[in-house]
């Protein structure tokens, strides 16, 4: 059974700092997704990573996938307040279902 | 607008009642997924339909049921409601997993 673990679950950081959110998963998969959710709002797709070594960047966010290590990272560069949100990773299992991490609540303080 | 339409956006109802939540998937998407998200909680997968047929079931209570109609819209029926059923209910749709899921804006259900 595929399990997805995110850490940290909560992160409070200062503007201008860099940090990384980790997403580990337990069995083989080559499809990983990152989503953002603002409080009380819907989930917005950020990145779709479909192969080993995939790296995608959008603004101050960069996501990467290492299928051998079963690890994805979401790196935040020079954080700004607008990036405060909850970030979820999800991994596709063998039945093409998405298995979700618990989410990382990110608070960026001025 | 994500292309996935959920109605109603808000619903307040009493314990013991029954409600129906509706979802229209993005044009061309055959799969519909229902999720429950309680306050400050993660996403709980309820059920998936693909082209009118149930494809996968998650932690869906027996009091809850769903269906997908020939026009691909889906309804989630919640009955004998309890206070603990208060949550955000999301519908998502997908064409294929190369693109992940597209989420609707959700229905916020409050049971009083």
């Amino acid at each position: 059974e595929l399990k997805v673990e995110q850490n940290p679950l909560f992160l409070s950081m200062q503007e201008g700092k860099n940090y990384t959110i980790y997403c580990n998963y337990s069995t083989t998969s080559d499809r990983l997704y990152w989503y953002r959710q603002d409080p009380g709002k819907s989930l917005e797709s950020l990145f779709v990573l479909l192969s080993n070594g995939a790296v995608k960047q959008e603004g101050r966010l960069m996501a990467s996938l290492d299928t051998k290590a079963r690890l994805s990272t979401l790196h935040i560069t020079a954080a700004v307040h607008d990036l405060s949100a909850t970030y979820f990773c999800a991994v596709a299992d063998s039945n093409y279902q998405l298995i979700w991490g618990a989410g990382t609540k990110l608070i960026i303080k001025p | 607008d994500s292309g996935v339409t959920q109605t109603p956006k808000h619903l307040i109802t009493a314990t013991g009642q029954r409600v129906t939540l509706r979802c229209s998937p993005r044009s061309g998407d055959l799969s519909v997924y229902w999720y429950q998200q309680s306050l400050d909680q993660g996403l709980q997968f309820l059920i998936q339909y693909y082209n009118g047929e149930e494809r996968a079931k998650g932690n869906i209570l027996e009091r809850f049921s769903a269906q997908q109609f020939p026009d691909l819209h889906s309804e989630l029926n919640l009955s004998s409601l309890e206070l603990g059923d208060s949550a955000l209910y999301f519908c998502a749709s997908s064409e294929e997993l190369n693109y992940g899921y597209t989420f609707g804006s959700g229905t916020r259900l409050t049971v009083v």
Side-chain angles (χ1 to χ4, degrees):
Chain A
E1 180 189 352
L2 174 60
K3 294 190 177 178
V4 179
E5 189 175 296
Q6 278 183 246
N7 67 83
L9 298 183
F10 180 81
L11 178 57
S12 178
M13 54 194 289
Q14 296 292 127
E15 276 192 330
K17 300 290 188 185
N18 303 333
Y19 211 82
T20 301
I21 299 170
Y22 298 88
C23 177
N24 292 89
Y25 53 99
S26 60
T27 63
T28 301
S29 177
D30 59 0
R31 296 165 183 251
L32 190 138
Y33 310 83
W34 285 97
Y35 285 82
R36 168 185 171 143
Q37 185 181 33
D38 292 311
K41 304 293 186 182
S42 185
L43 282 86
E44 172 192 356
S45 178
L46 292 175
F47 300 108
V48 179
L49 303 169
L50 298 178
S51 61
N52 187 41
V55 177
K56 292 202 174 173
Q57 182 160 7
E58 180 75 33
R60 300 175 188 272
L61 299 178
M62 183 173 71
S64 65
L65 177 62
D66 181 342
T67 58
K68 291 184 172 61
R70 297 176 190 162
L71 171 68
S72 177
T73 60
L74 180 65
H75 188 72
I76 303 148
T77 302
V80 293
H81 178 69
D82 284 353
L83 291 178
S84 296
T86 298
Y87 293 85
F88 290 93
C89 68
V91 180
D93 70 8
S94 56
N95 294 317
Y96 304 106
Q97 296 293 325
L98 289 193
I99 309 301
W100 294 81
T104 296
K105 186 170 185 176
L106 175 63
I107 295 176
I108 300 169
K109 300 176 181 178
Chain B
D1 182 5
S2 67
V4 179
T5 304
Q6 285 189 251
T7 57
K9 291 194 185 309
H10 301 277
L11 199 48
I12 302 175
T13 190
T15 54
Q17 295 298 303
R18 172 189 168 97
V19 297
T20 298
L21 313 183
R22 183 187 167 103
C23 170
S24 294
R26 206 175 49 158
S27 178
D29 288 355
L30 299 180
S31 278
V32 169
Y33 309 80
W34 286 98
Y35 284 86
Q36 180 193 55
Q37 187 178 40
S38 301
L39 188 64
D40 286 337
Q41 298 292 309
L43 290 166
Q44 295 294 320
F45 169 63
L46 297 178
I47 198 163
Q48 177 204 358
Y49 280 84
Y50 178 83
N51 202 20
E53 294 192 2
E54 183 182 304
R55 173 66 70 89
K57 230 172 184 177
N59 298 320
I60 187 166
L61 299 172
E62 285 191 12
R63 301 183 284 110
F64 296 180
S65 65
Q67 55 184 328
Q68 186 179 29
F69 295 87
D71 66 353
L72 301 178
H73 92 270
S74 178
E75 292 181 356
L76 178 67
N77 300 296
L78 314 176
S79 61
S80 302
L81 284 167
E82 302 174 359
L83 295 178
D85 297 327
S86 296
L88 266 172
Y89 290 84
F90 287 108
C91 166
S93 72
S94 71
E95 176 186 1
E96 55 178 296
L97 278 186
N98 282 355
Y99 307 106
Y101 298 175
T102 301
F103 281 80
S105 58
T107 293
R108 180 173 293 282
L109 173 67
T110 302
V111 182
V112 296

